[in-house]
Amino acid sequence: IESSHKPGPGSLEASILALVEPAIKDALAGYKVDASGIKAELDAKIAEALAKLAAYQPAVLEVKRPDGTEIKVEGGHYLLPRLIKLIGAGLFPFAWGPKGTGKSTAQIMAAQALGLDFQLDTLDPTTTRSMIQGYRDATREPFYPSFAKAYLHGELYIGEEIDLAPAAVQSLLNSALANGHTNLAGDSVARHEAFRACFNGNTPGRPTTAYRERKVMSEAFADRLYFLPWPRDPAISARACGVLPAHAPVRKEATCSPSAWHAWIESVIVWTTDNAPTIVPSDRAAIQGIKALAIGETPREVADALVFRGADAELVGKVLHACPIPEGR
């Protein structure tokens, strides 16, 4: 330490400085600036801040299409990855749940992720046969509505509010989905190999207290669909409001062999025949279930989608108690 003030020799000030100066020098000698330590601490704080910031950003889903191209989809519902796989595999997912949960938005995002054009159709009690199959005008020129266009050109058909559609419309859709051909504008036409379809609604195919106007879904049509419960995703509204979103529910991965799945379906058919006749599994549940398991759906998810279809939780519990679902890796 150098001081500009130099006390005179033998003065009291000089004596005090002589006693204190060594102690000050020793103290300062032990204080060393560790530049690397400061940088590491700063980097850690920056990383922490960026992690908090990232939590506010929309989720980014990277999708690799069958042709090898990759696409990123931002801000989707946490169930979007499952929806994309189901549509891509040729299953017909029916997303059902409360209003405003982003069902239609997610299905449009799925079309974009899969590289499919889409036809969006809102169904209600006034929907007629011609609104599905089309017709020929006075000049015999065919008119193709949304479903017919998707069926012919290999697009994704999104049928909104399917639980409001009349039974006759569900029957037409049932036939077209089940077979490789259907009648459009008076002609029997083949289904395009790239055609895909999905549906949405507010109920699992029957009226509820909140949605009394909904229709009872045809059992034959319901058997074509993959029932996908669609709850709200709180993270979407949280991000929109600048609030730190909660984490999406953790999904337990599990699977089973095709033989185990078939055996379970058979046991459920036997038990429900006498004990729960409102639950009617079909051979389609066994066959489509294998396809769903192959793309990563769990046995319980497949059971909910193809067997229980929104049935009362107490009844589902009884079935599962009598016929434990096969799950394992």
Side-chain angles (χ1 to χ4, degrees):
I1 299 175
E2 297 293 337
S3 173
S4 60
H5 174 68
K6 300 294 183 181
S11 66
L12 178 62
E13 188 177 5
S15 300
I16 294 174
L17 185 58
L19 292 173
V20 174
E21 191 174 38
I24 294 175
K25 287 184 176 181
D26 289 343
L28 290 177
Y31 182 81
K32 296 181 179 179
V33 177
D34 184 359
S36 61
I38 292 177
K39 183 178 184 303
E41 183 178 353
L42 183 60
D43 287 344
K45 290 185 178 297
I46 291 174
E48 181 182 358
L50 289 175
K52 289 181 178 179
L53 181 63
Y56 287 89
Q57 303 304 311
V60 178
L61 178 64
E62 296 184 357
V63 180
K64 187 171 184 179
R65 296 172 179 166
D67 62 5
T69 59
E70 296 184 1
I71 184 173
K72 293 183 178 181
V73 182
E74 293 188 4
H77 193 284
Y78 73 88
L79 290 179
L80 182 59
R82 287 180 61 196
L83 179 66
I84 291 173
K85 288 183 179 181
L86 290 167
I87 295 174
L91 295 165
F92 305 122
F94 166 46
W96 65 276
K99 61 182 179 180
T101 53
K103 298 180 287 294
S104 300
T105 299
Q107 291 172 337
I108 292 172
M109 284 183 169
Q112 295 168 342
L114 292 167
L116 294 171
D117 291 329
F118 65 89
Q119 297 288 336
L120 187 67
D121 205 4
T122 300
L123 307 169
D124 62 36
T126 67
T127 303
T128 62
R129 172 186 291 269
S130 62
M131 294 178 182
I132 300 296
Q133 293 182 320
Y135 58 88
R136 291 185 179 273
D137 61 21
T139 66
R140 300 300 298 163
E141 285 296 313
F143 170 77
Y144 296 121
S146 298
F147 178 80
K149 289 178 182 176
Y151 201 86
L152 284 170
H153 304 313
E155 301 173 345
L156 173 66
Y157 175 74
I158 303 174
E160 295 196 283
E161 313 294 347
I162 187 62
D163 52 350
L164 268 177
V169 167
Q170 293 182 11
S171 178
L172 293 174
L173 292 171
N174 174 39
S175 176
L177 297 180
N179 304 306
H181 58 275
T182 192
N183 186 293
L184 298 179
D187 294 323
S188 180
V189 299
R191 182 173 66 191
H192 194 290
E193 62 179 8
F195 168 76
R196 297 290 185 272
C198 60
F199 302 87
N200 63 61
N202 298 125
T203 71
R206 59 180 178 275
T208 64
T209 302
Y211 302 96
R212 299 179 185 275
E213 77 286 359
R214 301 292 152 154
K215 308 296 181 182
V216 176
M217 186 176 289
S218 159
E219 181 63 29
F221 179 58
D223 200 39
R224 309 291 179 191
L225 304 182
Y226 192 92
F227 280 59
L228 182 61
W230 200 269
R232 64 183 294 266
D233 183 351
I236 295 175
S237 59
R239 283 192 294 264
C241 298
V243 178
L244 186 65
H247 293 292
V250 177
R251 181 167 171 255
K252 177 186 176 183
E253 294 187 5
T255 189
C256 67
S257 66
S259 60
W261 175 253
H262 176 263
W264 183 77
I265 289 289
E266 291 296 317
S267 68
V268 171
I269 290 174
V270 171
W271 191 85
T272 56
T273 298
D274 295 327
N275 300 282
T278 57
I279 294 179
V280 188
S282 68
D283 287 340
R284 187 170 287 104
I287 298 168
Q288 297 292 77
I290 298 303
K291 183 183 292 186
L293 288 168
I295 61 171
E297 292 286 281
T298 70
R300 177 56 195 269
E301 289 168 346
V302 180
D304 286 337
L306 298 176
V307 176
F308 300 130
R309 302 182 193 139
D312 177 74
E314 183 178 353
L315 180 58
V316 171
K318 290 180 179 178
V319 176
L320 291 176
H321 179 74
C323 309
I325 200 159
E327 285 192 329
R329 292 303 302 174

